[in-house]
Amino acid sequence: MLIGIDLGGTNIAAGIVDLYGEIKHLKSIPTNSERGYEAIVRDIVKLVFELCDEYGIDKSEIKSIGIGIPGIADKKGNVISCVNLNWNDVPLKIDLEEYFKIPVFVDNDATVAALAEFECGVMKGAESGVLLTLGTGIGGGIVLNGEVYSGFNGVGSEIGHMVIGENFYDCNCGKNGCFETFASSTAIIKYSKKLLEETNEASLLKDEIKGDFTKLNAKLIFDFAQKGDKLALNAVTRLIKYLGIGIGNIITIMDPEIIAIGGGISNAGEYLLNLVREEVEKNKNFKNMPIGRIELAKLRNNAGIIGAAMIGKHGIR
Amino acid sequence: MLIGIDLGGTNIAAGIVDLYGEIKHLKSIPTNSERGYEAIVRDIVKLVFELCDEYGIDKSEIKSIGIGIPGIADKKGNVISCVNLNWNDVPLKIDLEEYFKIPVFVDNDATVAALAEFECGVMKGAESGVLLTLGTGIGGGIVLNGEVYSGFNGVGSEIGHMVIGENFYDCNCGKNGCFETFASSTAIIKYSKKLLEETNEASLLKDEIKGDFTKLNAKLIFDFAQKGDKLALNAVTRLIKYLGIGIGNIITIMDPEIIAIGGGISNAGEYLLNLVREEVEKNKNFKNMPIGRIELAKLRNNAGIIGAAMIGKHGIR
């Protein structure tokens, strides 16, 4: 059995996972990230022991532990940067291996989710695939020849920070024009707010939120776009334009067999998928250019736990 | 012995190359691309036979032939698209193997140049490297784990067509904002021309060309920038800004061990290199982020022939 841990800014979710990626038992606790690194490490240890107890297996049956983090780890399992948790250069792998005495593997959350999609999701059987998780930001995960690809220093596949244009607000990273400032849920909310503030035209979306911008979310905007609201449609069209540019760039550079779209925005399903496919097709570098398939991710919320378990499986084999 | 052929829009250059990448004998003929595919294939065959005769070896001593093309080939060696030669979907590998009865390999010219830099240039010994050739356009070549990477359909590593902003003119490919419209020699010439047309200020560069825009070239603009001419410096600064964004994107996505800069613009040498390194450092996604080395390419004009020979070597081993 394997343990997969999805370490998020809000919750730490852990699961006992078999070699085929099936979750056998799940448990989740709040992260309370303000407590700092040591307290969270202690909680992770406790969580793993509780998980084994509850499922009724001995710790010796666990072969490895994988952790997906909302940040960047180097190849030695040190977390180089994790903005949400305010972690910089912490030796997560070493610290956890000291407790557990079994191999621990640490990688970016979108990277492990991509591995989950490769092992038992939409990328299954593919030679290469890129997963984009369109949520608060944009996460990127790359699988090449059956293994995750994070680059020489482990800082690659950060596709959300690829610069693709000029935007009216800067990215958290300090740059202007990052992919995630155009095509994440944060991006579409900010742009819709801007449109709502600037327009005097009638809008169903405007009526709905009644000036309370905290009511804006990506689902609402997509729903109103599908109902034909002009303002919401304008915001969705802009997101699709830049999603097309970003995916076009991935094809131009990496040319993967599959590009999978996950994260909250992907809940817009076939409506989103059809618009994106059309946009990417329109923007090919040349007409008869063969390109990979664009699909929706399959594993949704559990991709993080399954993928984390799978980096453990890949690490120990 | 190997044969490497650098098929360009102006010349076809071919060389007999040993397994270590040393060119033993060279010969070059004009392409005359308007004659079409069949005539050029016949010329390539003739050129290879002449090359062997002149060097005094029998054709049986040649193990493979590699060809770098200014376009895109699929994995079967069919040229999917080659704008300069006006080729679309031509079976170059099959046609040449019919003549030579030895293995023939076809790949993009920047891709083979990257392999040359990996085998005997600045990327030697590196786990991964990306070569950017900054010339009329921008070519991209990717080497991962010692092998060229062109993606699932063979259309990847076309880094010059990655969209990185909005520009005042469209790319040949039909898109707006391609990397090569900001950071190639064509790009800096077009932007300098625009500045010269729009300004009334004194400029040494303006005095130099005396209204004859055909005199503008990248070398002249870089030379005048180094002399402190404000207009030329403005054009170089813009090129460096976007070169920084493009290289930053390569790091953000691929994180290679080395990024090498070749092509005509790279003749600006250390002056260019220092500006680029500074710009990339300034734009990192986070402060303590480790990144690969940025270097000048080493093999200059012969990279195409050496690299073409090397794809043959890799193909037959």
Side-chain angles (χ1 to χ4, degrees):
Chain A
M1 286 292 170
L2 311 160
I3 298 267
I5 300 172
D6 184 4
L7 175 57
T10 313
N11 289 303
I12 307 172
I16 295 178
V17 180
D18 71 14
L19 291 170
Y20 307 99
E22 199 176 309
I23 298 180
K24 296 298 185 182
H25 189 64
L26 257 178
K27 196 177 168 90
S28 171
I29 56 170
T31 312
N32 294 330
S33 61
E34 66 289 351
R35 296 173 306 151
Y37 175 69
E38 276 81 17
I40 292 173
V41 168
R42 276 195 302 274
D43 272 6
I44 290 174
V45 173
K46 210 169 136 237
L47 181 62
V48 170
F49 284 125
E50 286 171 2
L51 205 60
C52 291
D53 283 350
E54 286 177 16
Y55 187 60
I57 57 168
D58 189 76
K59 218 205 65 178
S60 65
E61 291 177 59
I62 303 295
K63 299 302 169 211
S64 66
I65 297 173
I67 306 185
I69 56 158
I72 301 209
D74 67 17
K75 293 191 174 174
K76 293 174 187 160
N78 301 307
V79 178
I80 310 175
S81 171
C82 198
V83 178
N84 287 343
L85 303 176
N86 199 20
W87 289 3
N88 287 296
D89 295 314
V90 291
L92 186 58
K93 177 190 169 82
I94 292 173
D95 286 344
L96 288 176
E97 284 185 344
E98 212 171 284
Y99 280 106
F100 292 116
K101 313 291 183 202
I102 55 171
V104 174
F105 300 88
V106 182
D107 215 322
N108 170 263
D109 51 9
T111 295
V112 308
L115 187 59
E117 293 291 341
F118 172 77
E119 286 276 339
C120 36
V122 70
M123 294 180 187
K124 194 164 180 167
E127 181 189 287
S128 55
V130 171
L131 171 70
L132 294 176
T133 57
L134 311 179
T136 318
I138 294 184
I142 300 173
V143 177
L144 292 183
N145 300 318
E147 298 294 338
V148 297
Y149 179 87
S150 304
F152 182 68
N153 299 290
V155 301
S157 97
E158 282 291 300
I159 299 171
H161 294 287
M162 162 175 70
V163 172
I164 61 169
E166 287 156 37
N167 211 347
F168 65 95
Y169 73 99
D170 285 345
C171 185
N172 288 335
C173 77
K175 294 186 300 180
N176 185 275
C178 288
F179 187 22
E180 71 177 33
T181 67
F182 291 107
S184 63
S185 56
T186 309
I188 197 169
I189 290 167
K190 280 198 194 248
Y191 188 68
S192 299
K193 181 167 178 279
K194 180 177 145 74
L195 290 179
L196 285 163
E197 282 170 343
E198 288 170 359
T199 188
N200 289 315
E201 277 184 52
S203 155
L204 292 171
L205 180 62
K206 198 175 184 177
D207 298 343
E208 174 76 17
I209 66 159
K210 296 188 183 71
D212 181 2
F213 292 127
T214 63
K215 284 187 182 165
L216 275 180
N217 61 61
K219 185 182 181 318
L220 193 73
I221 298 163
F222 268 91
D223 285 348
F224 275 84
Q226 286 189 71
K227 283 180 196 162
D229 181 65
K230 213 175 123 189
L231 190 144
L233 203 53
N234 185 339
V236 167
T237 302
R238 183 179 191 257
L239 180 140
I240 296 293
K241 174 189 160 184
Y242 285 102
L243 198 49
I245 291 176
I247 292 176
N249 282 355
I250 294 167
I251 293 169
T252 295
I253 300 169
M254 308 277 313
D255 177 23
E257 185 174 350
I258 296 188
I259 292 158
I261 302 173
I265 296 261
S266 72
N267 292 329
E270 294 293 321
Y271 172 69
L272 174 83
L273 193 60
N274 291 331
L275 290 173
V276 172
R277 284 176 174 165
E278 204 178 299
E279 188 71 20
V280 171
E281 195 59 36
K282 216 169 66 187
N283 285 302
K284 294 203 300 190
N285 295 334
F286 52 98
K287 246 189 192 162
N288 60 338
M289 176 177 167
I291 62 171
R293 285 186 289 132
I294 301 169
E295 304 286 354
L296 295 171
K298 216 167 157 180
L299 299 171
R300 327 296 305 170
N301 293 334
N302 288 334
I305 292 171
I306 298 170
M310 292 297 122
I311 55 162
K313 177 178 140 186
H314 280 245
I316 56 174
R317 76 180 176 193
Chain B
M1 288 293 170
L2 310 160
I3 298 268
I5 300 173
D6 184 4
L7 175 57
T10 314
N11 289 303
I12 308 171
I16 295 179
V17 181
D18 72 14
L19 290 170
Y20 306 101
E22 200 176 309
I23 297 180
K24 296 298 182 182
H25 189 63
L26 257 176
K27 195 179 168 84
S28 172
I29 56 170
T31 311
N32 294 330
S33 62
E34 67 288 350
R35 295 174 307 151
Y37 174 69
E38 276 83 17
I40 292 173
V41 167
R42 275 195 303 273
D43 272 5
I44 290 175
V45 173
K46 211 170 135 236
L47 181 62
V48 169
F49 284 125
E50 285 170 4
L51 206 60
C52 291
D53 283 350
E54 286 176 16
Y55 187 61
I57 57 168
D58 190 77
K59 220 205 66 185
S60 66
E61 290 177 60
I62 303 295
K63 300 301 170 213
S64 65
I65 298 173
I67 307 186
I69 56 159
I72 301 209
D74 67 18
K75 294 191 171 171
K76 292 174 186 159
N78 301 308
V79 178
I80 309 174
S81 171
C82 197
V83 178
N84 288 343
L85 303 177
N86 199 20
W87 290 3
N88 287 295
D89 295 314
V90 292
L92 185 59
K93 178 189 168 82
I94 292 173
D95 286 344
L96 289 175
E97 284 185 344
E98 212 172 285
Y99 280 105
F100 293 117
K101 315 290 183 202
I102 57 171
V104 174
F105 300 89
V106 183
D107 215 323
N108 171 263
D109 51 9
T111 295
V112 309
L115 187 59
E117 293 292 341
F118 172 77
E119 286 276 338
C120 37
V122 71
M123 293 180 188
K124 196 166 179 166
E127 182 188 286
S128 55
V130 171
L131 171 70
L132 293 176
T133 57
L134 311 179
T136 318
I138 294 184
I142 301 173
V143 177
L144 292 182
N145 300 318
E147 298 293 337
V148 298
Y149 179 86
S150 304
F152 182 68
N153 300 290
V155 302
S157 96
E158 283 291 300
I159 299 172
H161 294 288
M162 162 174 71
V163 172
I164 61 169
E166 287 156 37
N167 211 347
F168 65 93
Y169 73 99
D170 285 345
C171 184
N172 289 336
C173 78
K175 294 187 300 181
N176 186 274
C178 288
F179 188 21
E180 69 176 34
T181 67
F182 291 107
S184 63
S185 55
T186 309
I188 198 169
I189 290 167
K190 280 196 195 249
Y191 188 67
S192 299
K193 181 166 180 279
K194 180 176 146 76
L195 290 179
L196 284 163
E197 284 171 342
E198 287 171 359
T199 189
N200 289 316
E201 277 185 51
S203 155
L204 292 171
L205 180 63
K206 197 175 184 175
D207 298 344
E208 174 75 17
I209 65 160
K210 297 189 182 69
D212 181 1
F213 292 127
T214 63
K215 284 187 181 163
L216 276 179
N217 62 60
K219 185 181 180 319
L220 192 74
I221 299 163
F222 269 91
D223 285 348
F224 275 84
Q226 286 189 71
K227 285 180 196 161
D229 181 66
K230 212 175 123 188
L231 189 144
L233 202 55
N234 185 339
V236 167
T237 303
R238 182 177 191 259
L239 180 140
I240 296 293
K241 174 188 159 184
Y242 285 103
L243 197 48
I245 291 176
I247 292 175
N249 281 356
I250 293 167
I251 293 169
T252 295
I253 301 169
M254 308 275 316
D255 177 23
E257 186 175 350
I258 296 188
I259 292 159
I261 302 173
I265 295 262
S266 72
N267 291 329
E270 294 293 320
Y271 172 69
L272 174 84
L273 193 60
N274 291 332
L275 290 173
V276 172
R277 284 176 174 164
E278 205 178 297
E279 187 71 19
V280 171
E281 194 60 36
K282 217 169 66 187
N283 285 303
K284 294 203 302 191
N285 295 335
F286 53 97
K287 248 193 191 157
N288 60 339
M289 178 177 165
I291 61 172
R293 287 186 288 131
I294 302 169
E295 305 286 353
L296 295 171
K298 216 169 160 180
L299 298 171
R300 329 296 304 169
N301 293 334
N302 289 334
I305 292 171
I306 298 169
M310 292 299 123
I311 54 161
K313 178 179 139 182
H314 280 245
I316 56 174
R317 77 180 176 194

